[in-house]
Amino acid sequence: MFMRKKTFTIGITINQTMEYLLGAGFICLVSGACYLFKNYIGPEVVAFILLVALSLIAMFFDILPVLLAAALSALIWDYFFLLPRFNFRVGNTEDKIMLSMYFLIALVSAVLTYKIREVEKMSRQKEERLETVRLYNTLLNSLSHEFRTPIATIIAATDNLMAYPSLLSEDLRANLVGEISIASFRLNRQVENLLNMSRLESGFLEIKKDWCNISELVDSVFLRLQESIRNFNVKIEIPDNFPLFNLDYGLMEQVLYNLIYNATQYTPEKSSLTISVRSSESNLVILMEDEGPGFPEEEIPRVFDKFYRLKNATAGGTGLGLSIVKGFVEAHKGRIELQNRKEGGARFTIQIPAERLYTSPDDNQ
């Protein structure tokens, strides 16, 4: 027979048959504990304890197992605690009324507790749907701007190149080609972010580790960002004879790319961007520092959230860059922290546990 499965919020999946068994078992356990102290507590106190136990069951189980537990608790209360004990014959009218009232209260309590839980569940689902719609609208609004701008630039530039090929000077033609190139890179960056976020959301992100030269990794990122960083004072601090680390080169390249590009969007030109790398025990530690305005302290906990953009942000963006950074770092079992520097600006600290390999035996001394 097919049994419906149910998942608790604490992550345990059980079927309905197990709910019947657990509910009845819990009532028997509580009843047994009460029976041990029957000489110290009266039947009224036992009834109250059983009602509390029944309410706890109703918080987690479906209505039918809860009703079974309610009926079982009434029978146990009658058989073991009401005089005369060990039979289902109720001694006097008062006890009959008490038993009837207990059974009624047990049923009402079970049903009400279950209904309250269902209402709370529906409320949570509604909130989740509203949040999904909000994130969807945020994404559409961001993408409509981030895609429309470079596409419009590409269309305008190509139209000019095609419509007036003989009237354009070499400098103007070069400027138009440059605009197309910049817009294409911007468009490609947004597509990459969406694809990367899709990989993270799908849960099928596969880590392909290999021995990486960190100097080459950093140089590769700055080469990709040469147009964005040309007006900044870039500092790279990597010790000599730095070991190789076993990492996913592509993911770490995207991590550094997003961090540095994000800094160029919010940091004044002519200021410094510093990447420093060091090895700490079995960890690779990467620090990215800038001399920008930093982050509002109250917004730092949300900086890595998907689609989140600072309240005072003026630059474009989808709010995916830093969330991808966090996802790729955590895929390496690492962590990333953000702090504001005392002297001004922001500091991102990445720590990734990874095997290291020294290229020279003397380096490991």
Side-chain angles (χ1 to χ4, degrees):
M1 186 176 80
F2 176 77
M3 299 305 298
R4 182 183 56 80
K5 289 188 175 181
K6 177 183 178 182
T7 303
F8 284 176
T9 55
I10 57 176
I12 301 175
T13 303
I14 61 176
N15 58 38
Q16 198 172 46
T17 301
M18 187 61 67
E19 289 185 8
Y20 284 109
L21 296 176
L22 289 176
F26 186 63
I27 290 296
C28 291
L29 181 64
V30 172
S31 301
C34 292
Y35 188 76
L36 294 176
F37 298 95
K38 66 180 184 301
N39 295 328
Y40 305 98
I41 58 177
E44 296 83 2
V45 176
V46 174
F48 176 76
I49 294 174
L50 289 175
L51 287 175
V52 172
L54 190 61
S55 296
L56 292 176
I57 295 173
M59 292 175 61
F60 298 101
F61 294 165
D62 279 341
I63 189 62
L64 292 180
V66 173
L67 293 178
L68 174 65
L72 180 62
S73 67
L75 293 175
I76 290 176
W77 188 57
D78 177 24
Y79 191 82
F80 289 98
F81 297 99
L82 289 182
L83 298 177
R85 292 193 178 100
F86 310 122
N87 61 63
F88 293 106
R89 182 173 59 85
V90 181
N92 54 55
T93 303
E94 182 180 349
D95 286 347
K96 292 179 180 178
I97 295 175
M98 286 179 58
L99 179 60
S100 300
M101 292 299 298
Y102 173 84
F103 187 69
L104 179 61
I105 293 173
L107 292 179
V108 172
S109 174
V111 172
L112 287 179
T113 304
Y114 177 79
K115 290 296 183 182
I116 291 173
R117 182 163 60 89
E118 290 297 301
V119 170
E120 291 177 347
K121 180 181 178 181
M122 293 176 61
S123 178
R124 286 195 300 269
Q125 291 176 342
K126 183 178 179 181
E127 290 177 358
E128 290 172 357
R129 286 195 295 268
L130 291 176
E131 179 67 13
T132 301
V133 171
R134 186 188 69 81
L135 292 177
Y136 180 76
N137 289 335
T138 301
L139 177 61
L140 284 182
N141 292 336
S142 299
L143 290 180
S144 64
H145 170 74
E146 290 300 311
F147 283 173
R148 187 186 299 116
T149 302
I151 290 175
T153 301
I154 293 172
I155 292 174
T158 52
D159 283 347
N160 286 328
L161 286 172
M162 295 176 64
Y164 311 104
S166 60
L167 301 179
L168 298 177
S169 65
E170 288 296 327
D171 289 341
L172 185 54
R173 188 179 292 109
N175 288 337
L176 291 175
V177 172
E179 290 181 2
I180 293 174
S181 177
I182 293 173
S184 299
F185 277 115
R186 180 177 178 180
L187 193 60
N188 181 68
R189 184 175 61 253
Q190 298 305 329
V191 173
E192 283 186 348
N193 279 340
L194 287 174
L195 292 176
N196 288 330
M197 181 54 64
S198 176
R199 294 167 66 192
L200 287 171
E201 291 292 313
S202 67
F204 292 103
L205 181 64
E206 183 179 354
I207 302 294
K208 299 179 180 179
K209 292 185 178 181
D210 200 356
W211 295 109
C212 297
N213 185 314
I214 304 302
S215 296
E216 293 180 0
L217 176 65
V218 174
D219 289 343
S220 173
V221 173
F222 279 113
L223 182 63
R224 289 175 58 191
L225 285 165
Q226 56 184 336
E227 287 296 325
S228 300
I229 63 174
R230 61 183 178 180
N231 294 323
F232 291 88
N233 180 22
V234 176
K235 301 177 182 178
I236 302 175
E237 300 174 356
I238 302 177
D240 295 334
N241 300 321
F242 199 66
L244 304 178
F245 279 85
N246 198 24
L247 304 166
D248 188 309
Y249 187 97
L251 296 189
M252 290 307 303
E253 185 180 36
Q254 193 64 46
V255 165
L256 295 180
Y257 180 95
N258 284 9
L259 278 181
I260 297 169
Y261 179 80
N262 184 77
T264 63
Q265 300 303 296
Y266 298 97
T267 303
E269 293 186 355
K270 309 301 181 183
S271 62
S272 295
L273 301 177
T274 304
I275 289 283
S276 56
V277 182
R278 64 173 183 265
S279 176
S280 173
E281 297 180 353
S282 59
N283 291 335
L284 170 65
V285 182
I286 303 175
L287 278 75
M288 165 65 202
E289 298 178 316
D290 63 53
E291 296 178 344
F295 291 80
E297 291 292 339
E298 67 277 9
E299 295 190 62
I300 286 180
R302 299 196 60 192
V303 163
F304 296 103
D305 290 351
K306 185 172 57 175
F307 304 131
Y308 185 78
R309 298 179 65 243
L310 298 180
K311 295 178 181 178
N312 61 350
T314 55
T318 57
L320 292 176
L322 292 182
S323 62
I324 290 171
V325 167
K326 183 174 184 289
F328 283 2
V329 169
E330 290 181 346
H332 283 84
K333 309 300 182 184
R335 59 189 178 92
I336 181 170
E337 297 178 351
L338 168 61
Q339 296 173 315
N340 286 324
R341 302 167 65 223
K342 294 181 179 179
E343 57 271 33
R347 176 188 294 115
F348 290 89
T349 304
I350 299 173
Q351 294 191 51
I352 297 179
E355 296 178 272
R356 55 184 175 178
L357 175 66
Y358 289 89
T359 56
S360 170
D362 296 335
D363 296 339
N364 201 17
Q365 296 179 356

